[in-house]
Amino acid sequence: AVDAFLSLDELEREFGLKYMDQDLNAKENPYGLTDFDLEEIDESGGVVELPNITFNPMVLNSIEVKNGFILTGSNMAGKSTFLRTLGLNSLLAQTLGYAHAEKFTVSFTNIVSIINKNDDLGSGESFYYYEANRIAGMINSSSQVNYLFLIDELLSGTNSIERVAASIAIIKHLIKRKNIISCVATHDVS
């Protein structure tokens, strides 16, 4: 937790970003620190310099989401990055009260993603099988809890005709659920 606050403090100092309670740095905390610095104390009590942080230029996006969206675009257009950014900001907002945004409002949700898909042929799990199991878990999720589903290239491990038909059915089912925000990225506009 201290590492997270150190990183946020560096963002605030470096770029003027604000987060959570502005008096946070003046409050006592369980680690005895009253100010956060971008330094780490090693086990012997010495201070370890952390490497400089390099940031790429930001692309500013505005979006208001009610129960989901489908994001389309060509390869390398930033769809996956946008989903990751949305997921990361949702996680930061719910855990640290911080989001890299001028305004970010989100209810407490369980964040579930299918972005980095892997197969494990050693255990007999193909790329498609992995994704099908994750989707089944999403479909069978509890109706008592709020969810944010981040799905990149739905059913990309199968042929086009089956992918489109199944994707449409899955998205229609997820959108009907009032406790789910479904965010789907694809370069397949059909």
Side-chain angles (χ1 to χ4, degrees):
V2 172
D3 289 339
F5 284 114
L6 291 172
S7 297
L8 292 173
D9 189 59
E10 177 65 14
L11 288 172
E12 183 177 4
R13 284 189 281 130
E14 185 86 17
F15 298 100
L17 302 174
K18 303 295 181 201
Y19 65 95
M20 298 195 321
D21 182 358
Q22 292 304 309
D23 296 326
L24 177 69
N25 289 340
K27 294 180 180 178
E28 290 295 324
N29 58 69
Y31 299 99
L33 301 172
T34 55
D35 191 22
F36 294 108
D37 296 317
L38 192 60
E39 296 177 335
E40 185 173 303
I41 301 172
D42 68 13
E43 292 179 9
S44 66
V47 174
V48 177
E49 293 280 333
L50 298 179
N52 290 334
I53 301 172
T54 304
F55 293 94
N56 293 323
M58 292 181 283
V59 176
L60 303 178
N61 293 292
S62 294
I63 188 168
E64 183 175 333
V65 179
K66 294 295 181 192
N67 64 336
F69 61 82
I70 298 175
L71 180 62
T72 62
S74 61
N75 285 329
M76 297 180 61
K79 299 178 303 295
S80 300
T81 301
F82 185 79
L83 289 181
R84 287 184 181 102
T85 301
L86 182 59
L88 180 60
N89 277 306
S90 296
L91 180 65
L92 287 172
Q94 293 178 72
T95 56
L96 299 175
Y98 169 86
H100 194 74
E102 286 183 17
K103 181 180 179 185
F104 192 88
T105 305
V106 63
S107 61
F108 281 93
T109 61
N110 288 335
I111 303 168
V112 180
S113 72
I114 303 179
I115 295 178
N116 292 333
K117 305 166 207 164
N118 298 307
D119 59 6
D120 185 359
L121 298 179
S123 66
E125 190 172 279
S126 70
F127 183 81
Y128 178 78
Y129 184 76
Y130 170 82
E131 190 173 22
N133 279 335
R134 293 284 291 178
I135 292 167
M138 290 176 161
I139 290 171
N140 296 324
S141 62
S142 170
S143 62
Q144 305 301 314
V145 180
N146 292 327
Y147 289 94
L148 171 62
F149 290 160
L150 305 170
I151 306 169
D152 191 21
E153 299 297 342
L154 185 60
L155 299 175
S156 58
T158 191
N159 69 64
S160 296
I161 295 171
E162 290 175 357
R163 180 181 70 241
V164 171
S167 295
I168 290 170
I170 291 166
I171 292 168
K172 282 182 178 180
H173 175 78
L174 293 176
I175 288 175
K176 289 179 188 175
R177 305 261 310 268
K178 299 299 180 198
N179 65 316
I180 295 174
I181 299 173
S182 299
C183 306
V184 181
T186 182
H187 64 268
D188 186 357
V189 293
S190 58

